[in-house]
Amino acid sequence: MIFAAFIFDKLLFNHPLFNQMKGEIMQDNFLHEIEGLKTNLIKMASLVDEQVGKAGQALETGDKELCRGVKQKDLEIDAYDNLIQTQCENILALFQPVATDLRFIISAMMINNQLERCGDIAVNIAQRVKKVSEHHNLLIESKILEMGKQARGMVKNSIDAFVNSNIDLANNVLDNDEIVDKLNKESFKFLVAKMQTNSDLIEPCSHLIVLSRHIERLADHATNIAEDIIFYINAEVISHRKKLSKHPDMLENLS
C-alpha cells in the first residue's frame, strides 16, 4: 500500500495538469504580492508628497505649526520604508522574477530609498525654517523660495510619473534639475555677498545656505526617482549620463 501510494503521488505531481495548476497558483500569488507592493509604494509616495508640500508651505509662510506636522509624518514614512524593503526581498526570494518584473522590483527598492530620503530632507527643511522665519526678505531675494517651488514640483511630478508610468513626466523632472542647480549656485553667491557686506546677516545667511543645500538635494532625489522610472519602463540606465558622456573612455576601460 505504501509503495502504491508513493507511485500515485509521483504520477500526480509529475502530471502536466498538476504542474499547470501549480504554476497558475504561483502566478496568482506573485501578482498579489506585486499589487501589494505597488499599493504600499503609492501610499508612501503620497505621504512624502504631503510632507514635502507642508515643508514648502512652512518655508513660504514661516508657520511653525506646519513644521511640527512635517516631523510627525516622518515615523510613518520610516515604517513604510522597512515594510517595502521587506516586501521586495520576499518577492525576490520566493518568485525569482525576471525581465520587466525584476526591473520593477529593483526600481521599487531604489524608489523606496529615494522617497525615504525626501521625507528626511522635508524634516530638515522644516527645522531650518524655524531659524530663518524672521528673514523672509532674504528668502525671496536669494531665490530660495523659487528654488523650493521648483524642487517641490519635481518631487510631485516624479511621484506622478511613477504612479502613471509616465516617461514624459519623468523626463520633465530630469530637465528641471538643471534649473534647481542654477538657482542653488545663484543663491550661494548672493548669500556669501550679503555676509561679506553685513556681519549681522552671517548667522541667518549661514542657515539659508544650508537650507538651499537641502532643497538642492531634494531635487536630486526627485531626479533619481525619475531615472529609476525610466530604467523600469525602458530598461535603460541613465544615471550619471551627463558626467559619463564627457569621459567616453571611462566605460571602455571598465569593460
Side-chain angles (χ1 to χ4, degrees), residues 5-240:
F6 171 76
I7 294 298
F8 175 78
D9 287 346
K10 189 173 181 63
L11 290 172
L12 175 63
F13 292 146
N14 288 327
H15 195 280
L17 183 59
F18 177 83
N19 290 330
Q20 180 183 345
M21 290 173 60
K22 185 171 66 173
E24 289 174 354
I25 291 171
M26 286 290 288
Q27 181 66 15
D28 288 344
N29 289 341
F30 174 69
L31 293 176
H32 177 74
E33 291 296 327
I34 289 290
E35 285 305 312
L37 175 59
K38 285 181 180 178
T39 298
N40 285 331
L41 262 175
I42 290 171
K43 287 180 179 178
M44 182 184 183
S46 178
L47 284 172
V48 170
D49 188 28
E50 180 184 349
Q51 196 183 31
V52 170
K54 284 184 177 180
Q57 289 176 10
L59 183 62
E60 293 174 8
T61 64
D63 188 336
K64 294 179 181 179
E65 192 61 36
L66 280 172
C67 294
R68 281 189 283 271
V70 172
K71 178 64 177 175
Q72 289 168 358
K73 286 286 182 184
D74 195 49
L75 187 60
E76 190 174 357
I77 289 171
D78 288 344
Y80 269 112
D81 176 34
N82 289 341
L83 172 62
I84 290 167
Q85 182 69 24
T86 300
Q87 283 182 296
C88 289
E89 291 172 358
N90 287 342
I91 292 172
L92 286 172
L94 293 173
F95 301 101
Q96 299 178 353
V98 296
T100 303
D101 292 329
L102 178 58
R103 289 203 308 275
F104 174 75
I105 301 302
I106 294 172
S107 299
M109 294 175 73
M110 294 190 291
I111 290 170
N112 176 49
N113 179 259
Q114 300 300 331
L115 287 172
E116 191 274 335
R117 290 298 299 127
C118 285
D120 287 346
I121 291 173
V123 173
N124 293 339
I125 291 172
Q127 291 173 340
R128 199 63 56 173
V129 165
K130 300 173 184 178
K131 302 179 185 296
V132 300
S133 57
E134 296 179 3
H135 300 275
H136 193 73
N137 59 319
L138 282 176
L139 281 169
I140 297 173
E141 293 171 13
S142 64
K143 297 184 179 180
I144 287 179
L145 281 185
E146 182 183 349
M147 187 178 166
K149 288 178 181 177
Q150 286 284 347
R152 282 168 57 193
M154 288 174 66
V155 172
K156 179 172 176 47
N157 285 342
S158 68
I159 289 171
D160 288 345
F162 166 70
V163 172
N164 300 304
S165 297
N166 190 324
I167 285 287
D168 291 337
L169 206 51
N171 281 318
N172 178 260
V173 172
L174 301 183
D175 293 339
N176 285 340
D177 189 46
E178 292 184 6
I179 297 174
V180 173
D181 287 344
K182 182 181 177 183
L183 287 170
N184 185 41
K185 290 176 183 178
E186 291 175 0
S187 172
F188 179 79
K189 290 179 181 178
F190 172 84
L191 292 169
V192 168
K194 280 289 184 182
M195 289 189 288
Q196 289 173 338
T197 57
N198 188 344
S199 60
D200 292 337
L201 294 178
I202 290 177
E203 183 176 349
C205 284
S206 297
H207 287 305
L208 288 171
I209 288 174
V210 175
L211 179 59
S212 67
R213 177 58 178 159
H214 287 322
I215 294 171
E216 192 266 340
R217 289 299 299 146
L218 186 65
D220 284 345
H221 287 298
T223 298
N224 292 342
I225 292 172
E227 290 174 346
D228 294 337
I229 293 163
I230 292 170
F231 166 71
Y232 161 53
I233 297 173
N234 285 353
E236 181 184 5
V237 177
I238 63 169
S239 302
H240 316 300

